[in-house]
Amino acid sequence: MTQSPGQGNALDNLLTESRTFPPSDEFAAQANAQPALYEEAKADREAFWAKQAERLHWETKWDQVLDWSGAPFAKWFVGGKLNVAYNCVDRHVESGHGDQVAIHWEGEPGDSRAITYAELQREVSKAANALTSLGIGAEDRVAIYMPMVPEAIFAMLACARVGALHNVVFGGFSAEALRTRIQDSACRLVITTDGQYRRGTPAPLKPAVDEAVADAPSVEKVIVVKRTDTEVAWTGKDVWWHELVDSQSDQHTPEAFDSEHPLFILYTSGTTGKPKGILHTSGGYLTQASYTHQNVFDLKPDTDVYWCTADIGWVTGHSYIVYGPLSNRVTQVVYEGTPNTPHEGRHWEIVQKYGVSIYYTAPTLIRTFMKWGADIPAKYDLSSLRVLGSVGEPINPEAWIWYRENVGGGKTPIVDTWWQTETGAIMISPLPGVISTKPGSAQRPLPGIGAKVVNDEGVEVPAGGGGYLVLDEPWPSMLRGIWGDEERYRDTYWSRFKDQGFYFAGDGAKYDADGDIWLLGRVDDVMNVSGHRISTTEVESALVSHPTVAEAAVVGASDDTTGQGIVAFVILRGGAGADAGGADAIKALRDHVAKEIGPIAKPRQIMVVPELPKTRSGKIMRRLLRDVAENRAVGDVTTLADSSVMDLISAGLQSGKAED
Ligand code: WT7
């Protein structure tokens, strides 16, 4: 279906999706979040957030909910004091839940460990005592460079407990990436492992730390967890976790810190420039992580088994494995490995084994599952699942439908959650028992959150219009700046709509006829074809809606006639058939896009590729595809998860071309 483009919108609205899925009556009746939550937040936003903060244990209550006088630097729950780790661990033991499993940890080679809240309290206390013994305390920075082992979570909580800031660096990053992140925040301590399992084989990890630390004089000690038994070189700074931590007392009295005490720094690499150290603080962050986790996922701590498949190296792992879930007394699965080790059904095997009821993952993985085929999840009992979630990228409507049908048994609500490292917690998402979900839409700001779609002038676009996503009210878990760079904080997020005082998220978005929000990808990726501003997301979704396509990435390549022409890269579904990449099939795909969203969006060229270039967190790097589409030498590939992918793509270009 086509809508007329232009009319003063910053971005054209091309794709229309009309399927909706209301929650069942049973689900709606039992849901944590009821419709009144919206009313309540609207009636008095600050009172609403104050009520949400009450879900935590405060050693000293705050005297002011929000101080925005220093905008864009917010203070939430001013004067309040709390210990974040106490809130995630000890208070559950004190309320009689010490024997409840907090973490069902599943190692990649098949080893496993069940950790109760009582055990978690002992482990975190020991680790906190170890930090203190090394002289690490409030405001010190600690780098954590580890695979998904339980000690990584103990380490994060131990930092929080003693008021030190953790700086978690994804274990797949290079020594160089680790070094710059350690240096920028002058970390005194690094916590790592000897090695990590990667697709069934142990790979060394500590050599990267040695290399990084050699050039990072701020580091005094390196704590090493033994995971793979890999031989490691030993330096004067190194100490084994099992020697240092295991001998500590398992008793530790947590100290309460100010609500605005810094909790962590997490580096996020923008499209260009050096990574930004996003700073988060304690009380507001934990309040929103906890509130969103309970309401968006409908968590019932006594019966649910929750699984978020993210890595703690990303903000999703911080907010939806560690802080949100544990503050809500979750029982959760933590999995160390990759989804196809040792076979492509590994996730479903784990869901079946633990009776996982809430599953939260990324569109990139859902599309990978589509590529592997629906017969794989079909082999397992997934009937325990009752809520599914998605985060990280726009989810294409067809991938959403596939997820609901093949993972959710055609019945589970799917929450498409929009947020960022900077926002700290979920901002836009349906509430699963209240909202009729729409495949591909994040729909509405959560109660208490203000978000809008505006045009170049900062004026809200009408229903059916497209533009820029902004956040127009401060929120508790908002970033408190970029570490060491106040100017960059102001420039990056607050200068675009300075007069209005809006936070600019960098994403394109549109409203549908009902006023629901659809995310359209990063504004840097928007294509301009004959004066029409077209989002990559909509064309990609049109391609994925064809039965032969599992995944698609589109870019605008310069074009003498139209300014930019649309070039698409597609991965075919498993079982798509031998002809699916042939000239006729390519023509059919181009026609399909024209039919779905209009002739203006018809790709100039479609290339069938075996893989797409992705960052380590699974986001497609369209910049590299633009280089290919414009026949340029491919640019910097250092942030690619797999740098051989670009060679594969170039090799594949011989086939699959279709140009008018
Ligand atoms: C960017 C933030 C938030 C945790 C993981 C990513 C994109 C995220 C969605 C969604 C459409 C999404 C946006 C955003 N994004 N969630 N549900 N629908 N786009 O954190 O690495 O800081 O990335 O991811 O472009 O700005 P991040």
Side-chain angles (χ1 to χ4, degrees):
M1 274 166 276
T2 311
Q3 299 201 349
S4 59
Q7 286 147 16
N9 288 324
L11 204 54
D12 290 337
N13 173 10
L14 297 175
L15 195 66
T16 307
E17 168 62 61
S18 51
R19 292 168 285 192
T20 62
F21 298 85
S24 67
D25 293 344
E26 302 77 65
F27 192 101
Q30 61 82 59
N32 292 343
Q34 294 293 327
L37 209 60
Y38 288 103
E39 315 300 314
E40 211 187 302
K42 211 162 143 196
D44 187 341
R45 225 173 68 86
E46 290 192 14
F48 172 82
W49 281 117
K51 187 169 160 199
Q52 296 311 322
E54 301 278 5
R55 62 175 60 244
L56 305 178
H57 173 83
W58 296 80
E59 205 50 51
T60 309
K61 205 180 156 177
W62 61 87
D63 23 59
Q64 189 184 357
V65 175
L66 167 66
D67 176 1
W68 190 226
S69 62
F73 294 91
K75 290 189 179 137
W76 281 87
F77 311 114
V78 186
K81 284 191 191 323
L82 79 171
N83 186 287
V84 168
Y86 173 86
N87 273 284
C88 293
V89 183
D90 306 58
R91 70 177 168 136
H92 306 318
V93 178
E94 288 169 17
S95 69
H97 298 92
D99 292 337
Q100 179 181 333
V101 173
I103 298 170
H104 284 295
W105 179 76
E106 185 78 9
E108 192 183 83
D111 48 341
S112 64
R113 183 172 168 191
I115 300 158
T116 63
Y117 275 97
E119 243 179 295
L120 187 61
Q121 183 183 36
R122 290 194 293 270
E123 295 293 345
V124 173
S125 296
K126 284 193 288 183
N129 284 322
L131 293 181
T132 309
S133 77
L134 297 179
I136 300 292
E139 316 240 357
D140 284 329
R141 273 84 61 199
V142 175
I144 297 178
Y145 182 64
M146 296 171 91
M148 293 293 287
V149 291
E151 288 82 0
I153 297 172
F154 305 159
M156 289 169 75
L157 290 167
C159 287
R161 200 170 177 100
V162 303
L165 290 74
H166 52 72
N167 165 14
V168 182
V169 180
F170 175 55
F173 276 140
S174 64
E176 173 64 14
L178 175 63
R179 181 183 62 79
T180 54
R181 286 160 175 78
I182 290 175
Q183 283 177 339
D184 188 70
S185 51
C187 295
R188 291 183 59 198
L189 175 71
V190 181
I191 307 179
T192 189
T193 60
D194 52 353
Q196 61 181 332
Y197 287 99
R198 281 247 192 104
R199 296 178 206 289
T201 31
L205 190 62
K206 184 166 177 291
V209 177
D210 295 344
E211 202 182 321
V213 168
D215 261 335
S218 63
V219 176
E220 296 158 30
K221 284 275 178 238
V222 176
I223 304 181
V224 187
V225 172
K226 192 173 257 189
R227 170 59 183 141
T228 51
D229 256 329
T230 312
E231 271 296 320
V232 290
W234 212 243
T235 79
K237 295 183 176 180
D238 299 338
V239 29
W240 285 111
W241 174 285
H242 58 266
E243 286 175 6
L244 175 72
V245 176
D246 289 358
S247 60
Q248 303 289 331
S249 156
D250 61 11
Q251 305 290 310
H252 180 272
T253 309
E255 178 190 341
F257 294 100
D258 193 88
S259 177
E260 283 300 330
H261 186 84
L263 181 63
F264 65 85
I265 303 169
L266 181 61
Y267 285 83
T268 170
S269 29
T271 38
T272 51
K274 74 170 200 179
K276 303 185 279 274
I278 304 300
L279 176 67
H280 283 286
T281 60
S282 304
Y285 170 80
L286 193 63
T287 296
Q288 194 174 331
S290 182
Y291 153 72
T292 52
H293 179 257
Q294 200 221 2
N295 288 292
V296 172
F297 299 107
D298 194 45
L299 182 85
K300 306 285 194 284
D302 294 327
T303 47
D304 274 317
V305 178
Y306 167 86
W307 182 14
C308 165
T309 70
D311 189 285
I312 48 143
W314 316 120
V315 73
T316 309
H318 286 57
S319 303
Y320 296 105
I321 293 177
V322 182
Y323 295 110
L326 293 176
S327 68
N328 289 331
R329 185 167 53 82
V330 78
T331 293
Q332 73 178 321
V333 170
V334 172
Y335 173 52
E336 179 184 38
T338 45
N340 51 355
T341 307
H343 57 79
E344 291 171 346
R346 186 70 191 266
H347 274 212
W348 317 127
E349 187 178 75
I350 293 173
V351 168
Q352 179 177 289
K353 173 174 175 185
Y354 293 105
V356 171
S357 55
I358 306 171
Y359 178 80
Y360 188 31
T361 195
T364 177
L365 193 57
I366 297 165
R367 292 185 306 249
T368 302
F369 291 141
M370 281 170 79
K371 193 168 68 180
W372 291 344
D375 53 316
I376 295 173
K379 287 183 209 141
Y380 299 88
D381 178 5
L382 307 181
S383 60
S384 54
L385 289 168
R386 63 179 201 94
V387 179
L388 302 178
S390 170
V391 63
E393 279 181 292
I395 177 166
N396 319 101
E398 277 330 301
W400 192 104
I401 296 282
W402 189 96
Y403 192 27
R404 181 171 159 110
E405 290 303 318
N406 296 290
V407 180
K411 63 176 171 47
T412 54
I414 297 180
V415 287
D416 177 1
T417 63
W418 179 90
W419 57 296
Q420 307 177 299
T421 305
E422 292 86 342
T423 70
I426 298 170
M427 303 293 284
I428 306 178
S429 166
L431 289 172
V434 180
I435 304 287
S436 291
T437 53
K438 296 178 180 175
S441 174
Q443 300 191 289
R444 303 193 190 171
L446 289 177
I449 298 299
K452 279 191 202 168
V453 182
V454 301
N455 66 14
D456 281 303
E457 282 74 51
V459 178
E460 187 166 22
V461 301
Y468 308 102
L469 181 70
V470 298
L471 303 171
D472 61 348
E473 300 276 5
W475 63 100
S477 64
M478 69 194 294
L479 74 167
R480 302 300 199 263
I482 295 176
W483 185 258
D485 201 342
E486 178 173 337
E487 265 326 290
R488 194 171 179 203
Y489 171 58
R490 291 180 189 276
D491 283 356
T492 311
Y493 307 106
W494 301 95
S495 64
R496 181 73 178 76
F497 297 104
K498 192 164 193 290
D499 297 344
Q500 297 83 356
F502 295 158
Y503 170 93
F504 176 45
D507 283 340
K510 70 177 185 186
Y511 289 126
D512 66 14
D514 304 326
D516 281 323
I517 296 175
W518 296 69
L519 275 305
L520 297 177
R522 303 295 295 169
V523 293
D524 309 328
D525 291 331
V526 167
M527 304 174 289
N528 194 321
V529 182
S530 305
H532 297 275
R533 302 186 67 178
I534 298 176
S535 97
T536 50
T537 302
E538 294 196 313
V539 181
E540 287 162 3
S541 291
L543 285 163
V544 176
S545 75
H546 192 276
T548 61
V549 177
E551 179 146 29
V554 310
V555 298
S558 55
D559 186 292
D560 292 343
T561 328
T562 57
Q564 282 187 323
I566 300 177
V567 178
F569 298 79
V570 302
I571 299 179
L572 299 175
R573 286 203 206 192
D579 294 340
D584 289 350
I586 297 288
K587 179 173 183 310
L589 269 184
R590 297 175 64 233
D591 292 343
H592 175 74
V593 174
K595 183 176 112 286
E596 287 294 303
I597 59 181
I600 185 70
K602 187 172 180 170
R604 182 183 81 183
Q605 191 179 349
I606 295 181
M607 308 185 198
V608 175
V609 292
E611 275 306 333
L612 289 169
K614 288 182 187 159
T615 63
R616 289 175 176 81
S617 64
K619 292 196 204 312
I620 296 169
M621 292 185 70
R622 292 182 185 73
R623 170 173 65 75
L624 298 179
L625 294 174
R626 266 196 299 272
D627 291 342
V628 172
E630 297 186 335
N631 295 316
R632 263 196 309 275
V634 171
D636 183 8
V637 296
T638 50
T639 54
L640 267 185
D642 174 0
S643 54
S644 66
V645 162
M646 291 315 294
D647 300 336
L648 272 177
I649 291 175
S650 307
L653 293 189
Q654 302 349 316
S655 64
K657 285 206 179 189
E659 291 184 61
D660 271 350

